[in-house]
Amino acid sequence: MQATHQLSKVAKALLLTSSLASMLALSACNYNPIQSTSPAVAIPKKEYIQKGQWDTFNFDQLNQLIATYGKDSPNYNPEKRPYIVTDFDNTSVFLDIEEATLIYQLEHLAFNVTPEQLNQIIRKGISSQNFEAAYNNQKGQAVNIDKIAPDIIASYTWLYHHYSGLKGKQSLDQIKQDPHYLDFITKMRYLYAAIGDTFDHEVAYPWVTYLFTGLTEQQVRNLVKATVAWQMQQPIGPVTWTSPVALSGQAGVVKTTWENGLRPYREMQNLFKAFQDNGIDVYVCSASFIDVIKEIISNPEIGYNINEKNAYAMELERDTQNRILPEFRHGYAQTQGKGKTATIQRFLVSKYGYGPIFIAGDSEGDQNMMQDFAMTQKVLIINRLRSPNSDIGKFSQQAVQGYGQANTKFLLQGRDANTGQFRPSMASLSYGAQTAKTTKN
């Protein structure tokens, strides 16, 4: 009796597995890249990706997605290859490569502009309204661009004429001993954060890219390469800079906190490899600068191994010597929010004739592309505990509600902000927290 009962349980389990696989295969038959008149075939369970720290359900769903749409599928058509689109910052990597590169650029004074040019750049698109109250100075006074810009330019002017990497003769180590150095890097990073929290994304997102003005693509890529190598050796956690009292200037003493310890998500690197190995094309659509993204996704030493031609990101104009100009590239959409959808439609849907089967993201900047393509079968959300009032917060809740159901669209993947790694759960640990949370509230 016991043996018969066990055989019955096994038979039921096999029947359930076969049914779920058949359901996914049937849905695949309605999808353009692998349309077929042949009957749906149950696809054997196979592990295409490494388990790593994936949530178990997410792991199974991603393997099934590859089985259903990859080259092992009896309906796979190499002439109509499926493709996926992923965000990069905080999705494919722990933290933000653009922000990390900014810190490296500031600390190494890697600029190629005069003080007069920098003054125009940091004011570009920024009105004189006061920054959010959270950015008041140490005395509680409001700060705006007309107060902070003169301080930044005064310190940069001193650095420009003294640092050997610009127009001076002193080494970087010597320069770091002068208060102008700390004043400059602190107020620049403070300004970046203040703009991001005060102004619309259409203003804030391109602003940081303008700081590459005067550099070539290779110079930016070299900065990115150095940034990743440096960050991999850094501890994970917040770093706070405070501007020197001796150079209070018009803005007063301000402080800024940034996150240290960028780490590639090994699971995402392996996922992208599995997609490509199985005939599914991989594209990156990011709100970071295009040269930054091209370097980090294609450099074999970093490990993403995605063709740089498959990158879509913020674009700027270039001069006749291919040096970057502080002007957004004409005719291109900003690759954030609705601009991500527009970019995918312009360059990918027009090429393939259909949308991506899979989207990955982490923030409000990704929520449009997560819902705008009828062909998208699965959406992976890296859980950063977004506001429940945002679309991505609502999608995260849908992922929780649909957990364990084979036909669910949204998958929520937890991370640990203390280690920079995934957690084998939907729930995430914030930095310094002891208790993981699945949703913000």
Side-chain angles (χ1 to χ4, degrees):
M1 288 292 291
Q2 185 177 10
T4 302
H5 179 63
Q6 288 176 339
L7 284 170
S8 177
K9 287 169 64 179
V10 170
K12 288 179 180 178
L14 287 172
L15 180 60
L16 178 59
T17 300
S18 177
S19 298
L20 290 175
S22 297
M23 286 169 62
L24 278 168
L26 277 167
S27 68
C29 288
N30 294 322
Y31 177 59
N32 287 343
I34 54 175
Q35 276 187 344
S36 172
T37 57
S38 62
V41 178
I43 301 170
K45 187 172 182 180
K46 179 178 176 180
E47 292 186 359
Y48 294 91
I49 61 176
Q50 298 170 4
K51 178 62 169 69
Q53 296 298 309
W54 283 110
D55 169 88
T56 300
F57 177 66
N58 294 345
F59 175 73
D60 290 342
Q61 287 287 289
L62 292 170
N63 278 308
Q64 190 62 60
L65 183 73
I66 296 172
T68 305
Y69 291 93
K71 62 185 182 182
D72 283 348
S73 169
N75 297 321
Y76 182 78
N77 181 353
E79 299 302 316
K80 290 188 174 182
R81 294 165 64 93
Y83 68 96
I84 73 102
V85 178
T86 181
D87 173 49
F88 193 79
D89 298 308
N90 285 298
T91 296
S92 306
V93 68
F94 176 68
L95 302 182
D96 185 309
I97 184 56
E98 182 84 45
E99 292 187 354
T101 303
L102 171 61
I103 298 299
Y104 188 91
Q105 183 182 17
L106 289 171
E107 289 193 335
H108 292 80
L109 300 177
F111 295 89
N112 192 27
V113 291
T114 65
E116 293 75 21
Q117 288 173 318
L118 185 62
N119 185 46
Q120 293 178 348
I121 289 167
I122 63 176
R123 291 175 177 272
K124 189 175 179 67
I126 309 302
S127 72
S128 296
Q129 75 177 83
N130 290 336
F131 301 143
E132 289 290 310
Y135 293 92
N136 288 355
N137 65 23
Q138 204 170 64
K139 293 182 177 180
Q141 299 165 328
V143 180
N144 56 45
I145 190 64
D146 291 329
K147 293 180 179 178
I148 196 78
D151 293 357
I152 288 172
I153 299 308
S155 286
Y156 183 70
T157 299
W158 187 93
L159 296 168
Y160 185 78
H161 291 293
H162 288 81
Y163 173 45
S164 59
L166 294 168
K167 297 296 182 181
K169 297 181 179 180
Q170 295 183 31
S171 69
L172 186 59
D173 286 339
Q174 290 174 314
I175 288 294
K176 287 181 178 180
Q177 304 307 310
D178 192 278
H180 281 294
Y181 175 82
L182 180 59
D183 192 62
F184 174 71
I185 66 172
T186 300
K187 288 179 177 174
M188 280 289 286
R189 180 55 178 75
Y190 160 91
L191 179 57
Y192 164 73
I195 288 173
D197 285 344
T198 303
F199 297 94
D200 291 339
H201 289 166
E202 289 77 10
V203 173
Y205 273 62
W207 184 90
V208 67
T209 67
Y210 300 147
L211 301 180
F212 292 130
T213 295
L215 301 178
T216 63
E217 175 180 336
Q218 191 56 56
Q219 287 174 319
V220 173
R221 295 179 71 145
N222 289 342
L223 282 177
V224 174
K225 191 186 309 181
T227 296
V228 173
W230 162 64
Q231 279 289 284
M232 290 294 289
Q233 303 302 317
Q234 292 297 300
I236 291 172
V239 176
T240 299
W241 291 342
T242 303
S243 64
V245 176
L247 293 174
S248 296
Q250 296 184 40
V253 176
V254 298
K255 65 179 181 180
T256 186
T257 298
W258 52 272
E259 300 300 323
N260 203 16
L262 179 138
R263 301 284 190 274
Y265 285 135
R266 300 304 178 193
E267 290 83 358
M268 295 300 284
Q269 291 180 327
N270 175 250
L271 177 63
F272 301 149
K273 180 179 186 300
F275 278 135
Q276 294 178 101
D277 287 349
N278 287 278
I280 300 170
D281 297 333
V282 174
Y283 294 89
V284 175
C285 190
S286 169
S288 287
F289 184 52
I290 184 64
D291 297 351
V292 172
I293 294 301
K294 285 167 67 173
E295 178 62 27
I296 197 168
I297 69 169
S298 66
N299 187 319
E301 295 178 3
I302 299 173
Y304 288 94
N305 298 313
I306 300 171
N307 192 317
E308 65 181 56
K309 294 180 180 179
N310 289 14
Y312 296 98
M314 293 289 197
E315 299 261 8
L316 298 181
E317 293 288 345
R318 320 265 173 161
D319 67 13
T320 55
Q321 295 178 288
N322 288 321
R323 292 176 302 196
I324 296 161
L325 296 172
E327 184 176 353
F328 203 82
R329 189 172 178 184
H330 302 306
Y332 279 70
Q334 288 191 24
T335 42
Q336 54 91 13
K338 294 179 180 179
K340 287 198 174 189
T341 293
T343 299
I344 294 168
Q345 289 174 332
R346 176 182 177 183
F347 294 102
L348 298 179
V349 174
S350 65
K351 173 183 177 180
Y352 288 87
Y354 42 85
I357 62 167
F358 172 87
I359 296 280
D362 70 281
S363 72
E364 289 80 358
D366 306 313
Q367 62 193 19
N368 291 89
M369 68 174 179
M370 288 178 171
Q371 61 188 313
D372 287 347
F373 300 97
M375 296 302 175
T376 303
Q377 305 299 302
K378 300 293 177 184
V379 172
L380 177 68
I381 301 172
I382 306 305
N383 192 358
R384 294 178 62 212
L385 304 173
R386 310 310 288 179
S387 167
N389 297 322
S390 65
D391 283 357
I392 194 168
K394 295 172 184 175
F395 298 157
S396 297
Q397 187 59 48
Q398 289 181 41
V400 174
Q401 294 169 351
Y403 188 81
Q405 301 174 24
N407 64 346
T408 191
K409 180 177 182 178
F410 297 100
L411 308 175
L412 190 62
Q413 175 60 45
R415 69 168 195 171
D416 186 343
N418 301 279
T419 64
Q421 298 176 352
F422 276 5
R423 299 182 70 251
S425 166
M426 287 191 295
S428 285
L429 267 173
S430 300
Y431 184 78
Q434 301 297 318
T435 304
K437 297 173 66 176
T438 302
T439 55
K440 188 168 185 177
N441 292 336

